[in-house]
């Protein structure tokens, strides 16, 4: 990467950290606190939330016919998601250990905290849990895939791709043959248990750490 590209990447990371802090400030304004992955509400907030809870009967009454009949199709994705979850975990347990790659923490991507929202009925809470699991598993698999790509092929595409993973911006330029031959070992070394320190990863971690500091009692 050129110096200018490094500067732009650093700016993106800084902006993400600022966004994380603003989101945390908004949560605190709504009476939400997170400490050690436990979600807590200020006194009186839960009572106010329950006043906005919709009954299951009213929920279905407001739902369109298409939404109701398509629900089984949506939930049918649970099986392939479960298989992906199990298989990708099995994959990294075997392959990442063999390659010396730091394994991805599954708990960092899958969170079932929305069930604590008192304004959701059980159907809405179930839907939220499903969405959290589905998107969490995909994000978890994406991170495992990105580490695999960095190990074997840390090269940008010549064609533009939409929303690449955070490691992609550090990859070698398309056509940089010398860089590939001379720097592949360095890219692999960064993935070790003690050396996984890409700038994007460091910046995102720093932003999360700053946001969490504001939630400590």
């Amino acid at each position: 990467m050129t110096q200018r590209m490094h500067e732009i990447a650093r700016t993106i990371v800084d902006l993400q950290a600022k966004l994380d802090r603003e989101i945390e400030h908004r949560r605190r304004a709504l009476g939400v606190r997170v400490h050690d992955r436990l979600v807590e509400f200020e006194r009186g907030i839960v009572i106010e939330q329950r006043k906005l809870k919709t009954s299951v009967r009213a929920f279905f009454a407001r739902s369109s016919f298409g939404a109701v009949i398509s629900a089984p199709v949506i939930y049918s994705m649970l099986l392939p998601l479960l298989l992906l979850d199990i298989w990708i975990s099995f994959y990294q347990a075997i392959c990442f250990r063999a390659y010396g790659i730091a394994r991805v923490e599954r708990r960092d991507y899958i969170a079932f905290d929305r069930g604590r929202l008192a304004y959701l009925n059980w159907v809405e809470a179930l839907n939220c849990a499903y969405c959290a699991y589905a998107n969490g598993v995909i994000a978890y698999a994406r991170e495992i895939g990105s580490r695999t790509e960095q190990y074997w092929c840390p090269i940008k595409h010549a064609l533009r791709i939409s929303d690449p993973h955070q490691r992609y911006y550090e990859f070698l330029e398309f056509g940089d043959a010398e860089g590939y031959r001379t720097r592949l070992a360095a890219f692999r070394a960064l993935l070790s248990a003690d050396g996984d320190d890409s700038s994007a990863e460091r910046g995102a971690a720093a932003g999360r750490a700053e946001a969490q500091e504001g939630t400590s009692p």
Side-chain angles (χ1 to χ4, degrees), residues 52-70:
L52 298 174
K53 188 174 183 177
T54 302
S55 69
V56 173
R57 178 179 296 181
F59 173 80
F60 280 114
R62 296 175 184 175
S63 300
S64 67
F65 179 72
V68 174
I69 64 171
S70 65

Side-chain angles (χ1 to χ4, degrees), residues 66-99:
V68 174
I69 64 171
S70 65
V73 179
I74 295 174
Y75 275 91
S76 69
M77 282 296 297
L78 186 59
L79 179 58
L81 287 168
L82 283 168
L83 290 175
L84 174 61
D85 189 3
I86 294 169
W87 201 258
I88 202 73
S89 297
F90 176 76
Y91 161 76
Q92 76 157 345
I94 300 297
C95 298
F96 279 19
R97 183 175 282 108
Y99 303 149

Side-chain angles (χ1 to χ4, degrees), residues 13-166:
V13 171
D14 290 341
L15 289 173
Q16 181 62 55
K18 290 179 180 178
L19 178 59
D20 288 341
R21 288 195 294 271
E22 288 301 314
I23 291 173
E24 184 56 39
H25 291 158
R26 179 57 179 162
R27 286 179 185 149
R28 295 182 68 186
L30 292 171
V32 182
R33 292 184 179 274
V34 181
H35 182 62
D36 291 336
R37 294 181 66 84
L38 295 176
V39 181
E40 300 175 347
F41 291 96
E42 293 180 2
R43 185 176 301 176
I45 295 295
V46 174
I47 295 174
E48 293 301 317
Q49 289 183 352
R50 284 174 180 160
K51 293 178 180 178
L52 298 174
K53 188 174 183 177
T54 302
S55 69
V56 173
R57 178 179 296 181
F59 173 80
F60 280 114
R62 296 175 184 175
S63 300
S64 67
F65 179 72
V68 174
I69 64 171
S70 65
V73 179
I74 295 174
Y75 275 91
S76 69
M77 282 296 297
L78 186 59
L79 179 58
L81 287 168
L82 283 168
L83 290 175
L84 174 61
D85 189 3
I86 294 169
W87 201 258
I88 202 73
S89 297
F90 176 76
Y91 161 76
Q92 76 157 345
I94 300 297
C95 298
F96 279 19
R97 183 175 282 108
Y99 303 149
I101 300 174
R103 287 183 288 283
V104 179
E105 291 291 338
R106 182 176 175 276
R107 61 176 288 180
D108 291 341
Y109 296 87
I110 302 174
F112 297 106
D113 52 357
R114 295 168 181 162
R116 300 209 48 180
L117 296 170
Y119 55 85
L120 299 179
N121 60 48
W122 71 265
V123 176
E124 292 171 322
L126 179 63
N127 289 340
C128 282
Y130 171 80
C131 290
Y133 181 71
N135 287 280
V137 166
I138 291 171
Y140 169 60
R142 189 188 197 202
E143 176 59 18
I144 292 174
S146 75
R147 295 189 188 191
T148 302
E149 185 175 29
Q150 180 169 325
Y151 187 90
W152 290 110
C153 192
I155 302 171
K156 293 187 181 75
H157 294 282
L159 302 176
R160 184 181 182 280
I161 60 174
S162 177
D163 191 27
H165 55 74
Q166 62 183 10

Side-chain angles (χ1 to χ4, degrees), residues 1-12 14 156 169-171 173 183 199 202:
M1 292 177 69
T2 65
Q3 181 61 34
R4 177 57 179 162
M5 291 167 70
H6 273 293
E7 292 174 356
I8 294 173
R10 182 71 256 175
T11 299
I12 293 172
D14 290 341
K156 293 187 181 75
Y169 296 104
E170 299 286 339
F171 285 3
E173 296 304 320
R183 295 183 58 198
S199 61
R202 289 198 308 270

